[in-house]
Amino acid sequence: MAQGLVEAVVEPRNMRRALKRVRANKGSAGVDGMTVDELPAYLKEHWPAIRAQLLEGSYPPQPVRRAEIPKPEGGVRQLGIPTVLDRLIQQALLQVLEPLYDPDFSPSSYGFRPGRSAHQALRAAREHVASGRGWVVDLDLEKFFDRVNHDLLMGRLARRTGDKRVLKLIRRFLQAGVMLNGVVTERVEGTPQGGPLSPLLSNILLDELDRELQRRGHAFCRYADDCNIYVRSRRAGERVMVSLTHFLERRLKLRVNRDKSAVARTHERKFLGMRIVGVDKAHLLIAPRSLLRFKATIRRITKRNRGVSVSQLTRELNQYTMGWVNYFALAEVKSICQSLDGWIRRRLRCFIWKQWKTYQTRLRHLRQAGIGPWLAWGMVSGKHGPWKAAGCPALTRAIPNQYLAQQGYHSLLERYLALAPQ
């Protein structure tokens, strides 16, 4: 067992790395209101006392600030935002503990691990299906991060972490209260999403699930609490679902959401935003919900009454769409990108048409583009709204694709073709 871990945590080089990472991640202030930009000055004055508390095993984490963000499929996800000082210490702990635990994690675990990614998980899942496993046991753990059993987790940590000061510190982080509307409530289970240490703690607990699946010889992929097991028939899948539900609820004290979990053909379920279609020639397609989320975000960015310039709008668009294409380029989305390009360009034309505002401005731009006087006047004086106007060939001539590119819009299709495997 590792001894003297706290000394490794507070070692100057480790703390500098942690501070750099916390500042790069930015993030909101915790219950004390301190921002990441204020943290360095605070440490200059208070670090000797904080370091002494950590070495003595007496450091007291502050309560986390409750924050809620909407889930893509509805409802809200509850986050616990630690103070920036607590985030720094958690990050320093993570940098020491991760090398101890990660090498022994399952090769079928991909979430929140160095050198591993969602794309690797999707490729592995596709290979499992291509090997003839066309059925998936899609397990949904109900409120996983809120239901982590502290005693179980601490028991697993104690197997490898011999420094009792580290165990005491992690226990205190787990039990730090939650502040909502100025009132602090105690927490007896769960590890709050929002702290740097939570993903590693979740992997340590769910490593027991991975080991059980490996012991049984199952083909599976797990990304954080999203776990899919691939089997050859519905009957086999139903057996696996029953036995794993029993294992998770009895051994790990976790609850399986029966309404959201299912045994189904792989194309009927999504994994990390995609579907796996076919068996012998299994390939990835974007899941319908992922497409709906994309369109909802584009509608928000290109809302016609936003008081921003076209260049600022396209910068925001590119920041989102390029990340989206980078992720979904693993799937076959060429035709979808082509269709989305046309839809987004129409929304941009709609935005520009609305910005032109007056009859005179609109008429001038149309005439400068070579639109005849009667057609131009019919467009500016017609009763159809901006969306219908944006679909007219005349406005496409007045605001061509080349103009939108000059304003900064980057084509999804061109980006996909540059990224997609040949």
Side-chain angles (χ1 to χ4, degrees):
M1 288 196 231
Q3 298 287 345
L5 289 178
V6 174
E7 282 75 14
V9 170
V10 301
E11 191 267 330
R13 185 168 53 182
N14 186 58
M15 293 304 304
R16 284 194 294 269
R17 278 181 59 210
L19 179 60
K20 184 177 180 180
R21 185 63 181 267
V22 168
R23 295 189 72 183
N25 288 343
K26 301 184 184 297
S28 304
V31 295
D32 61 357
M34 187 191 302
T35 66
V36 290
D37 293 329
E38 296 168 335
L39 181 58
Y42 180 85
L43 291 171
K44 280 184 179 179
E45 182 178 353
H46 298 283
W47 174 244
I50 296 167
R51 181 178 183 276
Q53 288 179 325
L54 289 167
L55 289 170
E56 294 166 1
S58 61
Y59 177 80
Q62 296 190 63
V64 298
R65 179 174 63 82
R66 174 68 76 206
E68 295 181 345
I69 59 172
K71 289 183 177 181
E73 62 273 14
V76 295
R77 176 176 286 110
Q78 294 186 337
L79 300 182
I81 310 298
T83 64
V84 291
L85 178 58
D86 285 345
R87 295 210 293 271
L88 172 70
I89 293 169
Q90 285 194 33
Q91 179 63 37
L93 261 174
L94 173 67
Q95 291 167 184
V96 170
L97 293 178
E98 193 170 60
L100 294 177
Y101 286 94
D102 190 80
D104 290 334
F105 286 155
S106 167
S108 297
S109 164
Y110 296 90
F112 307 112
R113 296 182 59 191
R116 306 201 131 229
S117 67
H119 276 188
Q120 291 175 331
L122 287 161
R123 290 190 184 99
R126 183 175 59 191
E127 289 173 6
H128 290 323
V129 175
S131 70
R133 296 174 173 88
W135 292 83
V136 61
V137 181
D138 187 357
L139 281 172
D140 185 275
L141 298 177
E142 186 176 309
K143 296 182 179 179
F144 167 73
F145 285 93
D146 294 331
R147 297 191 186 279
V148 170
N149 184 284
H150 290 175
D151 292 333
L152 277 175
L153 176 57
M154 294 308 302
R156 279 145 187 78
L157 280 164
R159 293 174 184 174
R160 184 164 298 184
T161 305
D163 193 326
K164 292 184 179 180
R165 295 167 299 174
V166 167
L167 295 174
K168 184 188 293 185
L169 180 59
I170 293 175
R171 171 78 78 167
R172 284 178 173 171
F173 274 124
L174 291 172
Q175 293 180 337
V178 178
M179 180 175 285
L180 182 62
N181 299 325
V183 178
V184 177
T185 57
E186 292 184 355
R187 188 171 61 230
V188 296
E189 64 178 1
T191 172
Q193 295 183 73
L197 201 55
S198 291
L200 175 63
L201 297 180
S202 67
N203 274 333
I204 289 171
L205 183 65
L206 289 175
D207 184 56
E208 188 156 342
L209 170 63
D210 298 341
R211 292 177 184 276
E212 178 67 14
L213 290 170
Q214 287 177 321
R215 186 184 67 79
R216 299 183 185 186
H218 288 309
F220 71 99
C221 293
R222 182 176 67 79
Y223 194 95
D225 59 331
D226 195 351
C227 185
N228 279 4
I229 302 99
Y230 298 93
V231 295
R232 298 182 185 277
S233 68
R234 176 183 287 278
R235 181 176 294 181
E238 290 171 348
R239 286 197 303 268
V240 170
M241 177 68 81
V242 171
S243 62
L244 284 182
T245 298
H246 181 80
F247 173 84
L248 287 163
E249 295 184 346
R250 294 290 296 274
R251 285 283 294 277
L252 298 183
K253 309 299 182 187
L254 298 172
R255 187 177 300 173
V256 174
N257 188 325
R258 268 94 169 157
D259 294 330
K260 293 185 178 180
S261 300
V263 176
R265 289 285 190 182
T266 56
H267 69 268
E268 297 173 337
R269 307 294 292 183
K270 67 179 179 68
F271 180 52
L272 302 177
M274 302 192 203
R275 296 182 299 136
I276 305 175
V277 178
V279 178
D280 293 337
K281 296 182 179 179
H283 57 279
L284 294 164
L285 296 180
I286 184 171
R289 283 187 182 178
S290 300
L291 193 57
L292 290 175
R293 287 199 297 271
F294 175 84
K295 287 191 168 184
T297 303
I298 296 300
R299 288 189 182 98
R300 177 180 55 79
I301 294 173
T302 58
K303 198 172 181 181
R304 292 197 297 270
N305 59 2
R306 292 189 66 201
V308 298
S309 66
V310 178
S311 58
Q312 180 179 337
L313 189 76
T314 54
R315 280 197 300 273
E316 292 181 34
L317 264 179
N318 291 334
Q319 186 177 6
Y320 176 68
T321 59
M322 292 302 99
W324 187 88
V325 174
N326 287 348
Y327 182 74
F328 285 103
L330 192 64
E332 296 180 8
V333 291
K334 180 179 177 180
S335 61
I336 290 175
C337 285
Q338 192 169 14
S339 173
L340 288 173
D341 267 334
W343 178 70
I344 293 172
R345 289 186 179 116
R346 183 171 177 178
R347 291 196 66 85
L348 287 171
R349 292 187 180 100
C350 185
F351 182 85
I352 295 169
W353 182 255
K354 186 77 185 247
Q355 281 201 331
W356 286 349
K357 292 184 179 178
T358 65
Y359 286 176
Q360 293 86 349
T361 303
R362 290 174 175 177
L363 190 62
R364 184 178 73 252
H365 282 289
L366 290 171
R367 295 290 289 124
Q368 286 174 349
I371 307 301
W374 289 107
L375 179 56
W377 178 249
M379 281 196 66
V380 300
S381 62
K383 295 182 180 180
H384 45 254
W387 179 248
K388 188 172 181 180
C392 293
L395 197 58
T396 303
R397 282 179 58 190
I399 311 174
N401 292 352
Q402 295 89 330
Y403 174 80
L404 296 178
Q406 290 169 2
Q407 293 300 306
Y409 177 66
H410 295 166
S411 164
L412 274 70
L413 179 61
E414 290 177 6
R415 179 66 175 170
Y416 169 76
L417 293 175
L419 292 171
Q422 300 301 316

